[in-house]
Each structure stands twice: as structure tokens, then as C-alpha cells.
Amino acid sequence: MKTTFTPELSPTAKKDGTYAVYVRIYQDSKYRRVNLGFSIKKDDWNAVRKEVRKSNPNHRIYNTLIKKKTSEAELKQVVGQLTNNPTSITTLQLKLKNEITGGNFLVYANEYADRLKSSGSRRVYKTVIAKLSEYSPNLDFVDITREFLLNYKKWLEETKLNKQNTVHKNLTTIRTVYYEAVNSEKFEPKRNPFLSLKLRKERSNRVKLSEDELAILFKAELEVDSLLFHARNIFLFQYYAFGMRIADALQLKWLNVKDNRVDYIAQKTKKRHDVRLPKEALIILDYYKSLDRKPHSYVFPFLDNKLLKQATDDDKYRRLIESKTSQVNTNLKKLSVRVGINKNISTHVSRHSFAENARKKTGDIYAISKALGHSNISITEAYFAQESKNDTDRLSDLLFGE
């Protein structure tokens, strides 16, 4: 089975008047063509020598690429024949195409997402990939250029109406997958499309509750054992437990509570937290102690072992936690209306409130960052964007005020 690989110029010009350069694979009276990923003027092609003329400023790069790819394809075919495992023309075309274009980016991205350990991270990546697939269903690595990314950014903003931080998250996620492919030698780009692409993240004005507003919640008279009652209690406990995440609060067991302290491993970061609880948190715990205090029982009555046994895999488990979080958030919104706090309260507001009130009292951002379990101080600083501006304004009033 004889196979030949011949560089050639496309017979049809592109819109800009240039012609794509191909490798033509011929085998058993059949042929396939693979685009080498660049195009030139017709006068720059030497049809006899099957190479780019010196009149093209990139002739050395293009000719090296032509020789490299045809030699690699020929080597694969020879190895196949020597091992008595000849490669079909279709397989040769696909392998050569993948080496030139890097293959399908979306396929690689989905495989990358599937390897992620965190179900939450997998979900984020899959959402980003699905949106990218909607914009460009057949996206090869070579198609990801700076121009492509700018057009995609515009589509996210104008068609999908995504806000700046959502656009930033989409593009940085794509960049992470792209860089992983390059580092693992899946694809070798001619130039880095992200290098001159400015990805800006907007600092959001996060909702926080003051100590006075938290006191209003604490003192609110609610029907005992109602959903409002339990939602208020778990929200306040998160706050008093140094901004505990809702997933950790929902799964908190009595074995984690001892000697007026709470000791647990954070689900998201896998870091250990050992927190001394203030009297307000102990008052909340005292109510639940009277109901059930078996070591493996949950402190708050949103989960039970029967529910968790039904969650047989990570995705079902994640959906269960998300469902209970949504239930708490729905009741927190009702609660804010009832007590007259005109803010959109959610479980994460508890975390932001702890961070801001701690900052006002201590000014020690590093200690707060450690308490929150942040991996980077910049994450904690982002919590205080608006407040830092307000602090500067107050300083200006003190120094230069009327």
C-alpha cells in the first residue's frame, strides 16, 4: 500500500485573495487533503519545487513547517508498514490534521473538565465549554486567535448579555484549558492568542450586614422550628463561626462541636478550621442540643443520613447541597422583608459580613484571610473594594474637610 504526501496550493482563493497551502495524501487511488494552517499569494508558490518562494517574508517558517509535517506523516506510514499495521488514509488525514490544528478544542476541554476532582469545578468548566460550543461548534486549537477571542468576548457581552465578571470567568477558563494543552505538548501555537488580550475583572459591590442588622436578625421573634427560624439560625451561625461556608454549615455534625469550639475540615479547600465560638453561637447551638445530640447527627435539620445515602455519586450529592442552600436562601429573602432589612440576603452574605465587620474592628486582613480559608490574600482584599474607597474618603474628610 503506497502512500505519498505532496504539498500543494488550494485551487480556490480565499476572500483576501490568498491561497491555503495543503498536504495532499494519496493512497490506493484515493486522496485526502489537510490544511497546513496558513495561506499565501499565488505568485509566492513554487509549483515545481512544492515550496514557498523567497518573495514571501515568512518563507523559511512555512517551508520548515511543510517539511516537518510531511516527514512526520511519512514516518508514521513507514512505521505502520514495518510493524505490519498499515495506517489508512483517513487515519493519516486525521492524525496530520490534529498535529497541525491541535485537534478539536472542545473535545479536549470536555476531557480536561472530566478529570477535575471537584464536582463544582467540573460544573463551571462544563458551563463555559457549552457556551463556547454554542458560539463555535467545530473549534480547533488553531482557530483560537486573538481576533477570535475578541469576537467571542463581544458575543458574550452583546448576545448573551453577560456582565464583565462573567465574561472574565469564561475567557480565563478557556485560557486555563488552552495553556494546559500547550504545557502537555498537545498543541504548539505559533503565537499566544492570550498574550495581548486584556482580561479585566470588575470589583463587585458585595452585600454585607452591619452588626446592628445582625442584631435585628438575632432578636427577631420567629415561629420555632419554622423554615424561617432554621434559615436565620444557620445564617447567624455561619457568621459567628468566622464566615463558615454554607456547605460546611449544612454538613456540620455534633462530633465537630466540643468545648465551645467548632473543629471541621472545609469541603471546598480541605483545610482544617478550629474556631472558638462566641456566646451568640452557643445560644443557637443550645436549642439544637435539646433535639438530638448524637455524634454523627447533623446540627442543623436540613440534612439527614437517609438523604445522603440516596446521593450515590458526587453530582447527586452536589445537587442535594445546592437544593438545601437554595431553600435556605429563599427563606432568608422572606426573612429580610419581614424584619425590614432592605438587602438581598443569601448564605454568602454571612461570610462577607463577617469579613467586613472583622476588618472594621481589627484591620488585620491577613488574619481575616486565614480565618476565611482563602488561598490568596487578594481574594480577601476583593471583599473590601468599596469599603477601601469609603475609608479613603473618610481620611480625606479628616485631613482636608470643610
Side-chain angles (χ1 to χ4, degrees), residues 145-146 149 175 178-179 191-199:
T145 61
R146 184 175 184 275
L149 293 171
R175 182 178 63 185
Y178 187 93
Y179 282 1
R191 57 181 61 86
N192 185 345
F194 293 93
L195 198 59
S196 59
L197 188 71
K198 295 182 179 179
L199 303 178

Side-chain angles (χ1 to χ4, degrees), residues 228-246:
L228 287 179
F229 178 84
H230 295 309
R232 184 270 307 271
N233 288 349
I234 198 170
F235 176 88
L236 289 174
F237 186 84
Q238 287 180 259
Y239 176 83
Y240 294 125
F242 283 26
M244 179 185 284
R245 291 183 176 89
I246 184 59

Side-chain angles (χ1 to χ4, degrees), residues 196-253:
S196 59
L197 188 71
K198 295 182 179 179
L199 303 178
R200 292 192 179 93
K201 188 175 182 180
E202 188 178 59
R203 291 194 172 188
S204 56
N205 189 12
R206 303 174 190 270
V207 177
K208 307 173 186 72
L209 298 187
S210 66
E211 289 189 316
D212 289 341
E213 289 169 326
L214 290 161
I216 291 172
L217 285 182
F218 191 89
K219 295 174 182 177
E221 294 186 6
L222 304 172
E223 181 184 348
V224 175
D225 275 340
S226 66
L227 287 173
L228 287 179
F229 178 84
H230 295 309
R232 184 270 307 271
N233 288 349
I234 198 170
F235 176 88
L236 289 174
F237 186 84
Q238 287 180 259
Y239 176 83
Y240 294 125
F242 283 26
M244 179 185 284
R245 291 183 176 89
I246 184 59
D248 297 319
L250 287 169
Q251 297 171 86
L252 191 70
K253 295 183 178 182

